[in-house]
Amino acid sequence: MSATIKNYNDVLDMLDDLLREPKEFWENFYENRDKDIPFFKVKGPDENLVEFFDILNAPKKVLEIGCGPGRNAIYMSKKGCNIDALDISENAIEWAKDRAEVEKVKINFHCKSLFDFSYEPNSYDFIYDCGMLHHLAPHRRLTYLEIVKNALKPNGHFGLVCFNTNGALDTTDWEVYKSGSLKRGIGYSEERLKDIFKDDFNFINFREMKKIEQPSDVFGEDFLWVSLLQLK
Ligand SMILES: C[S@@+](CC[C@H](N)C(=O)[O-])C[C@H]1O[C@@H](n2cnc3c(N)ncnc32)[C@H](O)[C@@H]1O
């Protein structure tokens, strides 16, 4: 890191340095596949993703950001999508590749941070994020939003699953930097989450995820918001 802040990227790098290093954090998180984490045990897609695919007109080109062990990417691939699935963690991508092989589906996996990902602008019909946004540092949310907007086709759709205030504390952006910690993620109120997206997107739906008792073909926990949005 340079001694002088010379541009906006230097500010982002400086703020990154105040918080945990995401790649190391996520590699450790996925080291043991038998951990007692709700989405580790379920192979099926999010219950809301199945609903989104009933509403959407068969999206062809799809990007999943923070795909983890690949539950949702595998579902979308089986639905006929040409899918780029991206995750910062090699352990997660290895796990997702193992599952894709068992399920005999072809997915373009990318082990990359979203912020280093090269994509063709305005090329995706649908972008999906289950569980990544609430783990991002507040200053990276701005870049996240720019990438999602630039990568989508005009009027493209965006699907989001994100902690509500039962999923994690409603920590303000200021508190994150003052305490130097993202803790276990940011829990968003409905108002706060809508405020982030409302200038650029129309909300097709916004609701709490349904809690699904396991074993089931789908995943659902009620400490999450789910939303389908369309680029304005
Ligand atoms: C809570 S997990 C959700 C995994 C998966 N979507 C699922 O629901 O099964 C969040 C994921 O985001 C990934 N992630 C976090 N920051 C990232 C970044 N900057 N770029 C790409 N992936 C990231 C993590 O590695 C992790 O797999």
Side-chain angles (χ1 to χ4, degrees):
M1 184 170 305
S2 83
T4 311
I5 291 174
K6 287 188 260 176
N7 55 44
Y8 179 66
N9 271 334
D10 290 343
V11 177
L12 298 183
D13 287 346
M14 186 266 294
L15 292 172
D16 279 344
D17 219 44
L18 297 178
L19 301 171
R20 69 183 181 219
E21 207 286 301
K23 181 158 172 64
E24 191 187 334
F25 175 86
W26 288 105
E27 291 302 3
N28 291 337
F29 182 81
Y30 286 113
E31 217 148 57
N32 175 6
R33 296 181 185 183
D34 297 322
K35 263 202 245 171
D36 190 21
I37 305 280
F39 70 88
F40 273 31
K41 298 179 187 348
V42 185
K43 290 191 183 142
D46 297 332
E47 57 84 8
N48 56 284
L49 186 62
V50 177
E51 181 193 76
F52 293 173
F53 268 69
D54 286 340
I55 299 170
L56 295 171
N57 187 16
K60 287 188 189 64
K61 199 166 176 230
V62 172
L63 171 64
E64 186 181 5
I65 54 182
C67 68
R71 303 176 294 115
N72 294 310
I74 289 168
Y75 171 78
M76 292 189 276
S77 178
K78 285 182 179 173
K79 285 281 179 188
C81 304
N82 172 4
I83 171 151
D84 288 318
L86 164 94
D87 202 283
I88 198 170
S89 156
E90 277 162 46
N91 287 336
I93 291 291
E94 281 313 309
W95 191 357
K97 282 183 177 170
D98 289 348
R99 280 182 171 173
E101 199 178 310
V102 172
E103 297 291 331
K104 299 189 179 19
V105 291
K106 197 185 153 293
I107 293 168
N108 312 313
F109 286 111
H110 306 267
C111 185
K112 277 236 171 285
S113 169
L114 173 65
F115 307 115
D116 300 323
F117 180 56
S118 304
Y119 57 90
E120 195 187 323
N122 314 120
S123 64
Y124 292 99
D125 298 295
F126 180 55
I127 298 180
Y128 192 62
D129 170 7
C130 170
M132 185 174 115
L133 175 69
H134 55 226
H135 288 297
L136 291 185
H139 63 285
R140 287 289 169 190
R141 215 162 45 215
L142 303 173
T143 333
Y144 169 101
L145 198 56
E146 283 311 304
I147 294 172
V148 171
K149 277 159 44 183
N150 290 334
L152 278 176
K153 283 182 184 165
N155 302 119
H157 289 86
F158 175 51
L160 178 67
V161 177
C162 178
F163 277 149
N164 62 30
T165 50
N166 295 321
L169 293 177
D170 187 6
T171 315
T172 65
D173 291 351
W174 278 256
E175 279 162 0
V176 169
Y177 299 102
K178 269 195 233 157
S179 65
S181 171
L182 269 166
K183 303 201 173 69
R184 58 182 305 269
I186 297 177
Y188 288 89
S189 66
E190 177 170 353
E191 190 189 11
R192 189 174 173 196
L193 197 55
K194 284 186 169 170
D195 197 43
I196 292 169
F197 292 99
K198 71 176 182 345
D199 291 343
D200 302 296
F201 291 88
N202 290 316
F203 293 87
I204 294 174
N205 65 28
F206 188 103
R207 64 169 172 82
E208 206 168 75
M209 197 184 226
K210 291 176 198 147
K211 172 141 186 82
I212 306 286
E213 295 303 330
Q214 300 298 335
S216 166
D217 293 342
V218 291
F219 170 83
E221 291 288 350
D222 57 12
F223 52 74
L224 295 156
W225 293 121
V226 302
S227 186
L228 180 63
L229 306 96
Q230 185 168 25
L231 196 59
K232 281 185 183 172

